[in-house]
Amino acid sequence: MAENFQITEEMQALVGWESAPWDFEVTATSVRAFARGVGYTDLVYYDVEAAKAAGYRDLPAPPSYLGTAIFIPGRSDEYLPFPPGYSPPLDHGLLGLLDGGTETEYFEDICAGDTLTCVNKLASLATKESKGLGTMLIMGTEAAYTNQNGKVAAIQRSQVILY
Amino acid sequence: MAITWEAINEGDLIPELKKCPGVTQLVKYAAGSGDFNPLHHDYNFPQSKAIGSIIVHGRFKYAVIGECVSNWLDHAGRIKKMSCQYRGMDFPDQEITCKGTVVRKFEENGEKLVELSVWTENPEGKNTTPGLVVAAFK
C-alpha cells in the first residue's frame, strides 16, 4: 500500500512503450486445458470432429483464451501468465496487484494450429484513491496478436491495479 | 434450432449460466490459463490472509461471461468484442450467476450485430463483473 504514490516523469515517459514480439502457439492441448479450467461442456473446444461440424477449421480458442501463459524459467514471472519482457519496465515499487478489467476485440477466428505474434504496449498510466488500498496505480496495456497470415487477429486491452 | 439474428429483440434475456467454482476448479483454471497467482489457490499467501480468503480469478469470471454468451450463440454467431470490469471479489464455493440482456440490435458494414449487457452476480445478487459483448451473426 502506498500513501503518497506519484507517477514520476520517468514512468510517464514509458507510456507508448512496446514489448519485443513473441510467438504464442495456439495448440489443441492448451485450448482443451483452458476450456476445462472454465468448465466448458461444449465439445467444440475438445473434439476436432465436433469443431469441424460446427464450422471451425480446428478447435476454436474460447473467448477470453488469449492471455494464457508463456513460461520461461528464470525469465518469466513465477506466478503470472506473462512471457519474458511482457510487462513495461516500470519502477513503481508497488507489491499489491489486482486485475481491473479486460477487453478483447476479435478480427479473425483463432483456432488450434495458429501461431500468433504478440506485442504488448503500455497504453496509459493513472492514479486513483482507494479508502482501503491507498493510492493505486492504474496501468492500461494493449496487446496486439497478429496471426500467421499477417492479419491482426485480436487486440486485448487490460487494466492492472497496483497498490 | 440455432438462434437467428432476425428472431432476436432488444430487451431479450439470454439464458443464465451458474457456476460454483471450488478450489479444484480454480486450480484447473490456473493450469489452463497459466495464472498461478497464489491469491487464487493458497490460503497462506499474505494477500489471501489480508483478504481472509482466496478469491476467484477475475479472468475466470470473464471466461464465464464468454461461455454464457457462446452457449446462447450456439455457433450461429461469433463474439467480436467482449469486455468486463472486476468490481467485486468472488469467493470459492459460492454461486456465480452470469446473466445478459440484448441492449441493441443493429447492422453495420453489412454485418448483423447485437450488443449485450452482461454481468455476474454473487449469492447476494450483487453485480461483481459488469461487461459488454458485441456479437456478429452469419
Side-chain angles (χ1 to χ4, degrees), chain A residues 33-34 36-42 44-45 54 56 63-64 66-69 79-81 97-107 109 156 158 163, chain B residues 19 25 28-29 31-39 47 55 58-60 62-64 66-67 70-71 75 78-86 89 138:
Chain A
F34 185 85
R36 187 184 186 194
V38 180
Y40 270 99
T41 53
D42 188 336
V44 303
Y45 303 106
Y56 299 97
S64 79
L66 290 179
T68 54
Y79 301 116
L80 299 176
L97 181 139
L98 289 169
D99 203 343
T102 313
E103 176 184 279
T104 315
E105 210 171 336
Y106 298 94
F107 305 101
D109 287 339
Q156 189 166 75
S158 304
Y163 64 95
Chain B
K19 296 268 180 178
Q25 187 66 49
K28 285 183 190 173
Y29 182 78
S33 67
D35 181 348
F36 288 97
N37 184 342
L39 176 59
Q47 210 180 344
I55 63 171
R59 286 278 189 116
F60 177 85
Y62 184 55
V64 169
E67 183 184 1
S70 297
N71 288 349
H75 311 292
R78 65 182 188 88
I79 293 174
K80 274 177 73 80
K81 193 170 181 176
M82 181 166 100
S83 65
C84 74
Q85 292 174 322
Y86 311 116
M89 296 176 186
K138 287 166 191 164

Coordinates of all heavy atoms in Angstrom, one line a residue, chain A residues 33-34 36-42 44-45 54 56 63-64 66-69 79-81 97-107 109 156 158 163, chain B residues 19 25 28-29 31-39 47 55 58-60 62-64 66-67 70-71 75 78-86 89 138:
Chain A
A33 N -7.2 -27.5 -22.3 CA -6.9 -27.2 -20.8 C -7.6 -25.9 -20.4 O -8.1 -25.9 -19.2 CB -5.4 -27.1 -20.6
F34 N -7.7 -24.9 -21.3 CA -8.3 -23.7 -20.9 C -9.8 -23.9 -20.7 O -10.5 -23.5 -19.8 CB -8.1 -22.6 -21.9 CG -8.7 -21.3 -21.5 CD1 -7.9 -20.4 -20.7 CD2 -9.9 -20.9 -21.9 CE1 -8.5 -19.2 -20.2 CE2 -10.5 -19.7 -21.5 CZ -9.8 -18.9 -20.6
R36 N -11.4 -26.7 -20.1 CA -11.6 -27.5 -18.8 C -11.5 -26.6 -17.6 O -12.3 -26.7 -16.6 CB -10.5 -28.6 -18.8 CG -10.7 -29.5 -17.7 CD -9.6 -30.5 -17.6 NE -9.8 -31.6 -16.6 CZ -8.9 -32.4 -16.2 NH1 -7.6 -32.3 -16.7 NH2 -9.1 -33.3 -15.3
G37 N -10.6 -25.6 -17.6 CA -10.4 -24.7 -16.5 C -11.6 -23.9 -16.2 O -12.0 -23.5 -15.1
V38 N -12.3 -23.5 -17.3 CA -13.5 -22.7 -17.2 C -14.7 -23.6 -16.9 O -15.7 -23.2 -16.2 CB -13.8 -21.9 -18.5 CG1 -15.0 -21.0 -18.4 CG2 -12.6 -21.0 -18.8
G39 N -14.7 -24.8 -17.4 CA -15.8 -25.8 -17.2 C -16.7 -25.9 -18.4 O -17.8 -26.3 -18.2
Y40 N -16.2 -25.5 -19.5 CA -17.0 -25.6 -20.8 C -17.4 -27.1 -20.9 O -16.6 -28.0 -20.7 CB -16.1 -25.3 -22.0 CG -16.2 -23.8 -22.4 CD1 -15.1 -23.0 -22.0 CD2 -17.2 -23.4 -23.2 CE1 -15.1 -21.7 -22.5 CE2 -17.2 -22.0 -23.6 CZ -16.2 -21.2 -23.3 OH -16.2 -19.9 -23.7
T41 N -18.7 -27.3 -21.4 CA -19.1 -28.6 -21.7 C -19.4 -28.8 -23.2 O -19.6 -29.8 -23.7 CB -20.4 -29.0 -21.0 OG1 -21.4 -27.9 -21.2 CG2 -20.2 -29.1 -19.5
D42 N -19.3 -27.7 -24.0 CA -19.4 -27.7 -25.4 C -18.2 -28.4 -26.0 O -17.1 -28.0 -25.9 CB -19.5 -26.2 -25.9 CG -19.9 -26.1 -27.4 OD1 -19.7 -27.1 -28.1 OD2 -20.4 -25.1 -27.8
V44 N -17.0 -28.6 -28.9 CA -16.2 -27.9 -30.0 C -14.8 -27.5 -29.5 O -13.9 -27.4 -30.2 CB -16.9 -26.7 -30.7 CG1 -18.2 -27.0 -31.3 CG2 -17.0 -25.5 -29.7
Y45 N -14.7 -27.3 -28.1 CA -13.4 -26.9 -27.6 C -12.5 -28.1 -27.2 O -11.4 -27.9 -26.8 CB -13.6 -26.1 -26.3 CG -14.5 -24.9 -26.6 CD1 -15.8 -24.8 -26.2 CD2 -14.0 -23.8 -27.4 CE1 -16.6 -23.7 -26.5 CE2 -14.8 -22.7 -27.7 CZ -16.1 -22.7 -27.3 OH -16.9 -21.6 -27.6
A54 N -19.2 -27.9 -36.5 CA -19.8 -26.6 -36.2 C -19.2 -25.4 -37.0 O -19.5 -24.3 -36.9 CB -19.5 -26.2 -34.7
Y56 N -15.7 -24.8 -37.7 CA -14.4 -24.3 -37.4 C -13.3 -25.1 -38.1 O -13.5 -26.3 -38.4 CB -14.1 -24.4 -35.9 CG -15.1 -23.5 -35.1 CD1 -16.2 -24.1 -34.5 CD2 -14.9 -22.1 -35.0 CE1 -17.1 -23.3 -33.8 CE2 -15.8 -21.4 -34.3 CZ -16.9 -22.0 -33.7 OH -17.8 -21.2 -33.0
P63 N -13.5 -17.6 -26.2 CA -13.4 -16.2 -25.9 C -12.7 -16.1 -24.5 O -13.1 -16.8 -23.6 CB -14.8 -15.6 -25.9 CG -15.7 -16.8 -25.8 CD -15.0 -18.0 -26.4
S64 N -11.8 -15.2 -24.4 CA -11.0 -15.0 -23.1 C -9.8 -15.9 -23.0 O -9.1 -15.8 -22.1 CB -11.9 -15.1 -21.9 OG -12.1 -16.5 -21.6
L66 N -7.1 -15.8 -24.9 CA -5.9 -15.0 -25.1 C -5.4 -14.5 -23.7 O -6.1 -14.0 -22.9 CB -6.1 -13.8 -26.0 CG -6.4 -14.2 -27.5 CD1 -6.6 -13.0 -28.3 CD2 -5.2 -15.0 -28.0
G67 N -4.1 -14.6 -23.5 CA -3.5 -14.2 -22.3 C -3.0 -15.4 -21.5 O -2.4 -15.2 -20.4
T68 N -3.2 -16.6 -22.1 CA -2.7 -17.8 -21.4 C -1.1 -17.7 -21.5 O -0.6 -17.0 -22.3 CB -3.2 -19.1 -22.0 OG1 -3.0 -19.1 -23.4 CG2 -4.7 -19.2 -21.7
A69 N -0.5 -18.6 -20.7 CA 0.9 -18.3 -20.4 C 2.0 -18.8 -21.4 O 1.8 -19.8 -22.1 CB 1.2 -19.1 -19.1
Y79 N 4.6 -16.4 -11.2 CA 3.2 -16.7 -11.0 C 2.2 -16.3 -12.1 O 1.2 -16.9 -12.3 CB 2.7 -16.0 -9.7 CG 3.5 -16.5 -8.5 CD1 4.3 -15.6 -7.7 CD2 3.4 -17.8 -8.0 CE1 5.0 -16.0 -6.6 CE2 4.1 -18.2 -6.9 CZ 4.9 -17.3 -6.2 OH 5.6 -17.7 -5.1
L80 N 2.6 -15.1 -12.7 CA 1.6 -14.5 -13.6 C 1.9 -15.0 -15.0 O 3.0 -15.4 -15.4 CB 1.7 -13.0 -13.5 CG 1.3 -12.5 -12.1 CD1 1.5 -11.0 -12.1 CD2 -0.1 -12.8 -11.7
P81 N 0.8 -15.0 -15.8 CA 0.9 -15.7 -17.1 C 1.5 -14.8 -18.2 O 0.9 -14.5 -19.2 CB -0.6 -16.0 -17.5 CG -1.3 -14.9 -16.8 CD -0.6 -14.6 -15.5
L97 N -1.3 -6.4 -6.3 CA -1.8 -6.4 -7.7 C -3.2 -6.9 -7.8 O -3.5 -7.9 -7.2 CB -0.8 -7.3 -8.5 CG -1.1 -7.4 -10.0 CD1 0.2 -7.4 -10.8 CD2 -1.8 -8.7 -10.3
L98 N -4.0 -6.2 -8.5 CA -5.4 -6.7 -8.8 C -5.7 -6.4 -10.3 O -5.1 -5.5 -10.9 CB -6.4 -5.9 -8.0 CG -6.4 -6.2 -6.4 CD1 -7.3 -5.1 -5.7 CD2 -6.9 -7.6 -6.1
D99 N -6.6 -7.3 -10.8 CA -7.0 -7.1 -12.2 C -8.2 -6.2 -12.2 O -9.1 -6.4 -11.5 CB -7.4 -8.5 -12.7 CG -7.3 -8.7 -14.2 OD1 -7.2 -7.6 -14.9 OD2 -7.3 -9.8 -14.7
G100 N -8.1 -5.1 -13.0 CA -9.2 -4.2 -13.1 C -10.2 -4.5 -14.1 O -11.4 -4.3 -13.9
G101 N -9.8 -4.9 -15.3 CA -10.7 -5.2 -16.3 C -10.0 -5.7 -17.6 O -8.8 -5.5 -17.7
T102 N -10.8 -6.3 -18.5 CA -10.3 -6.8 -19.7 C -11.2 -6.5 -20.8 O -12.4 -6.6 -20.7 CB -10.1 -8.4 -19.6 OG1 -9.5 -8.7 -18.4 CG2 -9.3 -8.9 -20.7
E103 N -10.7 -6.2 -22.0 CA -11.5 -6.0 -23.2 C -10.7 -6.7 -24.3 O -9.5 -6.5 -24.5 CB -11.7 -4.5 -23.5 CG -12.4 -4.3 -24.9 CD -12.5 -2.9 -25.2 OE1 -13.4 -2.2 -24.7 OE2 -11.7 -2.4 -26.1
T104 N -11.4 -7.6 -25.1 CA -10.8 -8.2 -26.2 C -11.6 -7.9 -27.4 O -12.9 -8.1 -27.4 CB -10.7 -9.7 -26.0 OG1 -10.2 -10.0 -24.7 CG2 -9.7 -10.3 -27.1
E105 N -11.0 -7.5 -28.5 CA -11.6 -7.3 -29.8 C -11.1 -8.3 -30.8 O -9.9 -8.4 -30.9 CB -11.3 -5.8 -30.3 CG -12.4 -5.2 -31.1 CD -12.1 -3.7 -31.4 OE1 -11.4 -3.1 -30.6 OE2 -12.7 -3.3 -32.4
Y106 N -12.0 -9.0 -31.4 CA -11.5 -10.1 -32.3 C -11.8 -9.7 -33.8 O -12.9 -9.2 -34.1 CB -12.3 -11.4 -32.1 CG -12.1 -11.9 -30.7 CD1 -13.0 -11.6 -29.6 CD2 -11.0 -12.8 -30.4 CE1 -12.8 -12.1 -28.3 CE2 -10.8 -13.3 -29.1 CZ -11.7 -12.9 -28.1 OH -11.5 -13.4 -26.8
F107 N -10.8 -9.9 -34.6 CA -10.9 -9.5 -36.0 C -10.8 -10.8 -36.9 O -11.3 -10.7 -38.0 CB -9.8 -8.6 -36.4 CG -9.7 -7.3 -35.6 CD1 -8.8 -7.2 -34.5 CD2 -10.7 -6.3 -35.7 CE1 -8.8 -6.1 -33.7 CE2 -10.6 -5.2 -34.9 CZ -9.7 -5.1 -33.9
D109 N -10.9 -15.4 -36.7 CA -11.1 -16.6 -35.9 C -9.7 -17.0 -35.4 O -8.7 -16.9 -36.1 CB -11.7 -17.7 -36.7 CG -13.1 -17.5 -37.0 OD1 -13.7 -16.7 -36.3 OD2 -13.6 -18.1 -38.0
Q156 N -6.1 -7.1 -27.2 CA -6.6 -7.3 -25.8 C -6.1 -6.1 -25.0 O -4.9 -5.9 -24.9 CB -6.2 -8.6 -25.2 CG -6.8 -8.9 -23.9 CD -6.6 -10.3 -23.5 OE1 -5.6 -10.7 -23.0 NE2 -7.7 -11.1 -23.6
S158 N -6.0 -4.4 -21.2 CA -6.2 -4.8 -19.8 C -5.9 -3.6 -18.9 O -5.2 -2.7 -19.2 CB -5.1 -5.9 -19.5 OG -5.2 -7.0 -20.3
Y163 N -0.9 -1.5 -6.1 CA -1.1 -0.7 -4.8 C -0.1 -1.1 -3.8 O 0.6 -2.2 -3.9 CB -2.5 -0.9 -4.3 CG -2.9 -2.3 -3.9 CD1 -2.7 -2.7 -2.5 CD2 -3.3 -3.2 -4.8 CE1 -3.0 -4.0 -2.1 CE2 -3.6 -4.5 -4.4 CZ -3.5 -4.9 -3.1 OH -3.7 -6.2 -2.7
Chain B
K19 N -22.3 -21.0 -12.0 CA -21.1 -21.7 -11.7 C -20.9 -21.7 -10.2 O -21.2 -20.7 -9.5 CB -19.9 -21.0 -12.3 CG -19.9 -21.0 -13.8 CD -19.1 -22.2 -14.3 CE -19.2 -22.2 -15.9 NZ -18.4 -23.3 -16.5
Q25 N -11.7 -26.4 -9.0 CA -12.0 -25.7 -10.3 C -11.0 -24.6 -10.5 O -10.5 -24.3 -11.6 CB -13.4 -25.2 -10.4 CG -13.8 -24.7 -11.7 CD -13.8 -25.7 -12.8 OE1 -14.4 -26.8 -12.6 NE2 -13.2 -25.5 -13.9
K28 N -7.8 -25.9 -11.7 CA -7.9 -26.2 -13.1 C -7.8 -25.0 -14.0 O -7.1 -24.9 -15.0 CB -9.2 -26.9 -13.4 CG -9.3 -28.3 -12.9 CD -10.7 -28.9 -13.4 CE -11.0 -30.2 -12.8 NZ -12.3 -30.7 -13.1
Y29 N -8.4 -23.9 -13.5 CA -8.3 -22.6 -14.3 C -6.9 -22.1 -14.3 O -6.4 -21.6 -15.3 CB -9.3 -21.6 -13.7 CG -9.2 -20.3 -14.6 CD1 -9.9 -20.3 -15.8 CD2 -8.5 -19.2 -14.2 CE1 -9.7 -19.2 -16.7 CE2 -8.3 -18.1 -15.0 CZ -9.0 -18.1 -16.2 OH -8.8 -17.0 -17.1
A31 N -4.2 -23.8 -14.1 CA -3.4 -24.6 -15.0 C -3.8 -24.3 -16.5 O -2.9 -24.2 -17.3 CB -3.7 -26.1 -14.8
G32 N -5.0 -24.1 -16.8 CA -5.5 -23.8 -18.2 C -5.0 -22.4 -18.6 O -4.7 -22.2 -19.8
S33 N -5.0 -21.5 -17.7 CA -4.7 -20.1 -18.1 C -3.3 -19.7 -17.8 O -2.7 -18.8 -18.4 CB -5.6 -19.1 -17.3 OG -5.2 -19.1 -15.9
G34 N -2.6 -20.5 -17.0 CA -1.2 -20.2 -16.6 C -1.1 -19.1 -15.5 O 0.0 -18.6 -15.2
D35 N -2.3 -18.7 -15.0 CA -2.2 -17.7 -13.9 C -2.2 -18.4 -12.6 O -3.2 -18.8 -12.0 CB -3.5 -16.8 -14.0 CG -3.5 -15.7 -12.9 OD1 -2.7 -15.7 -12.0 OD2 -4.4 -14.8 -13.0
F36 N -0.9 -18.4 -12.0 CA -0.7 -19.1 -10.8 C -0.5 -18.1 -9.6 O 0.2 -18.4 -8.6 CB 0.5 -20.0 -10.9 CG 0.2 -21.3 -11.7 CD1 0.6 -21.3 -13.0 CD2 -0.4 -22.4 -11.1 CE1 0.3 -22.5 -13.8 CE2 -0.7 -23.5 -11.9 CZ -0.3 -23.5 -13.2
N37 N -1.1 -16.9 -9.7 CA -1.1 -16.0 -8.6 C -1.7 -16.8 -7.4 O -2.8 -17.2 -7.4 CB -2.0 -14.8 -8.9 CG -2.0 -13.7 -7.9 OD1 -1.6 -14.0 -6.7 ND2 -2.4 -12.5 -8.2
P38 N -0.9 -16.9 -6.3 CA -1.3 -17.7 -5.1 C -2.6 -17.2 -4.5 O -3.3 -17.9 -3.7 CB -0.1 -17.6 -4.1 CG 1.0 -17.2 -5.0 CD 0.5 -16.3 -6.1
L39 N -3.0 -15.9 -4.8 CA -4.2 -15.4 -4.2 C -5.4 -16.2 -4.7 O -6.5 -16.1 -4.1 CB -4.3 -13.9 -4.8 CG -5.6 -13.1 -4.4 CD1 -5.8 -13.0 -2.9 CD2 -5.6 -11.8 -5.1
Q47 N -1.5 -12.0 0.7 CA -2.7 -11.2 0.2 C -4.0 -12.0 0.5 O -5.0 -11.3 0.8 CB -2.5 -11.0 -1.3 CG -3.2 -9.7 -1.8 CD -3.0 -9.5 -3.3 OE1 -2.2 -10.1 -3.9 NE2 -3.8 -8.6 -3.9
I55 N -9.5 -15.8 -3.6 CA -10.6 -15.2 -4.4 C -10.6 -15.8 -5.8 O -9.6 -16.3 -6.3 CB -10.6 -13.7 -4.5 CG1 -9.3 -13.2 -5.2 CG2 -10.6 -13.1 -3.1 CD1 -9.3 -11.7 -5.5
G58 N -10.4 -12.9 -11.6 CA -11.3 -12.0 -12.4 C -11.5 -12.6 -13.8 O -12.6 -12.7 -14.3
R59 N -10.4 -13.1 -14.3 CA -10.4 -13.6 -15.7 C -11.3 -14.9 -15.8 O -11.7 -15.3 -16.8 CB -9.0 -14.0 -16.1 CG -8.2 -12.7 -16.5 CD -8.5 -12.3 -17.9 NE -7.6 -11.3 -18.4 CZ -6.8 -11.4 -19.4 NH1 -6.8 -12.5 -20.1 NH2 -6.0 -10.4 -19.7
F60 N -11.5 -15.6 -14.7 CA -12.4 -16.8 -14.7 C -13.8 -16.3 -14.9 O -14.5 -16.8 -15.8 CB -12.3 -17.5 -13.3 CG -13.3 -18.7 -13.2 CD1 -12.9 -19.9 -13.7 CD2 -14.5 -18.5 -12.7 CE1 -13.8 -21.0 -13.7 CE2 -15.4 -19.6 -12.6 CZ -15.1 -20.8 -13.1
Y62 N -14.6 -13.5 -16.4 CA -14.5 -13.0 -17.8 C -14.8 -14.2 -18.8 O -15.6 -14.1 -19.7 CB -13.2 -12.4 -18.1 CG -13.0 -11.8 -19.5 CD1 -13.8 -10.8 -20.0 CD2 -11.9 -12.1 -20.3 CE1 -13.6 -10.2 -21.2 CE2 -11.7 -11.5 -21.5 CZ -12.5 -10.6 -22.0 OH -12.3 -10.0 -23.2
A63 N -14.2 -15.3 -18.5 CA -14.3 -16.5 -19.3 C -15.8 -17.1 -19.1 O -16.3 -17.6 -20.1 CB -13.3 -17.6 -18.9
V64 N -16.3 -17.0 -17.9 CA -17.7 -17.5 -17.7 C -18.7 -16.6 -18.6 O -19.6 -17.1 -19.1 CB -18.1 -17.5 -16.2 CG1 -19.6 -17.7 -16.0 CG2 -17.2 -18.5 -15.5
G66 N -17.9 -15.2 -21.3 CA -17.7 -15.7 -22.7 C -18.4 -17.1 -22.9 O -19.1 -17.3 -24.0
E67 N -18.4 -17.9 -21.9 CA -19.1 -19.2 -22.1 C -20.6 -19.0 -22.2 O -21.3 -19.6 -23.0 CB -18.8 -20.1 -20.9 CG -19.4 -21.5 -21.0 CD -19.1 -22.4 -19.8 OE1 -18.5 -22.0 -18.9 OE2 -19.6 -23.6 -19.9
S70 N -21.4 -17.6 -25.5 CA -21.2 -18.6 -26.6 C -22.3 -19.7 -26.6 O -22.7 -20.1 -27.6 CB -19.8 -19.3 -26.3 OG -18.8 -18.4 -26.5
N71 N -22.7 -20.1 -25.4 CA -23.8 -21.1 -25.3 C -25.1 -20.5 -26.0 O -25.7 -21.3 -26.7 CB -24.1 -21.4 -23.8 CG -23.0 -22.2 -23.2 OD1 -22.1 -22.7 -23.9 ND2 -23.1 -22.4 -21.9
H75 N -22.9 -21.1 -31.9 CA -22.1 -21.1 -33.1 C -22.8 -20.5 -34.3 O -22.3 -20.6 -35.5 CB -21.5 -22.5 -33.4 CG -20.9 -23.2 -32.2 ND1 -19.7 -22.7 -31.7 CD2 -21.3 -24.2 -31.4 CE1 -19.4 -23.4 -30.6 NE2 -20.4 -24.3 -30.4
R78 N -20.6 -15.1 -33.8 CA -19.3 -15.1 -33.1 C -19.1 -13.8 -32.3 O -19.7 -12.7 -32.7 CB -18.2 -15.3 -34.0 CG -18.0 -14.2 -35.0 CD -16.9 -14.5 -36.0 NE -16.6 -13.3 -36.8 CZ -15.8 -12.3 -36.5 NH1 -15.1 -12.3 -35.4 NH2 -15.6 -11.2 -37.3
I79 N -18.4 -13.9 -31.2 CA -18.1 -12.7 -30.4 C -17.1 -11.8 -31.1 O -16.0 -12.3 -31.5 CB -17.7 -13.1 -29.0 CG1 -18.8 -13.8 -28.3 CG2 -17.1 -11.9 -28.2 CD1 -18.5 -14.4 -26.9
K80 N -17.4 -10.5 -31.3 CA -16.5 -9.6 -31.9 C -15.7 -8.8 -30.9 O -14.6 -8.4 -31.1 CB -17.2 -8.6 -32.8 CG -17.5 -9.0 -34.2 CD -18.3 -8.0 -34.9 CE -17.6 -6.7 -35.3 NZ -16.8 -6.9 -36.5
K81 N -16.4 -8.5 -29.8 CA -15.8 -7.7 -28.7 C -16.4 -8.1 -27.4 O -17.6 -8.4 -27.3 CB -16.1 -6.3 -29.0 CG -15.3 -5.3 -28.2 CD -15.6 -3.9 -28.8 CE -14.8 -2.8 -28.1 NZ -15.0 -1.5 -28.7
M82 N -15.6 -8.2 -26.4 CA -16.0 -8.6 -25.1 C -15.2 -7.9 -24.0 O -14.0 -8.0 -24.1 CB -15.9 -10.2 -24.9 CG -16.4 -10.7 -23.6 SD -16.6 -12.5 -23.7 CE -15.1 -13.0 -22.9
S83 N -15.9 -7.2 -23.1 CA -15.2 -6.5 -22.1 C -15.9 -6.7 -20.8 O -17.1 -7.0 -20.7 CB -15.1 -5.1 -22.4 OG -16.3 -4.5 -22.4
C84 N -15.1 -6.6 -19.7 CA -15.7 -6.6 -18.4 C -14.8 -5.9 -17.4 O -13.6 -5.8 -17.7 CB -16.1 -8.0 -17.9 SG -14.8 -9.0 -17.3
Q85 N -15.4 -5.5 -16.3 CA -14.6 -4.8 -15.2 C -14.8 -5.7 -14.0 O -15.9 -6.2 -13.7 CB -15.0 -3.4 -15.0 CG -14.7 -2.5 -16.2 CD -15.3 -1.2 -16.0 OE1 -16.4 -1.0 -15.5 NE2 -14.5 -0.2 -16.4
Y86 N -13.7 -5.8 -13.2 CA -13.7 -6.6 -12.0 C -14.0 -5.7 -10.8 O -13.1 -5.1 -10.3 CB -12.4 -7.4 -11.8 CG -12.0 -8.1 -13.1 CD1 -10.9 -7.8 -13.9 CD2 -12.9 -9.1 -13.6 CE1 -10.6 -8.4 -15.0 CE2 -12.6 -9.7 -14.8 CZ -11.5 -9.4 -15.5 OH -11.2 -10.0 -16.7
M89 N -15.0 -8.8 -5.4 CA -14.4 -10.1 -5.3 C -15.4 -11.2 -5.2 O -16.5 -11.0 -4.6 CB -13.5 -10.2 -4.1 CG -12.3 -9.2 -4.1 SD -11.4 -9.2 -2.6 CE -10.3 -7.9 -2.9
K138 N -24.0 -14.7 -38.8 CA -23.6 -15.1 -40.1 C -24.7 -14.7 -41.1 O -25.9 -14.7 -40.7 CB -23.4 -16.6 -40.2 CG -22.1 -17.0 -39.5 CD -22.0 -18.5 -39.3 CE -20.8 -18.9 -38.4 NZ -20.9 -20.3 -37.9

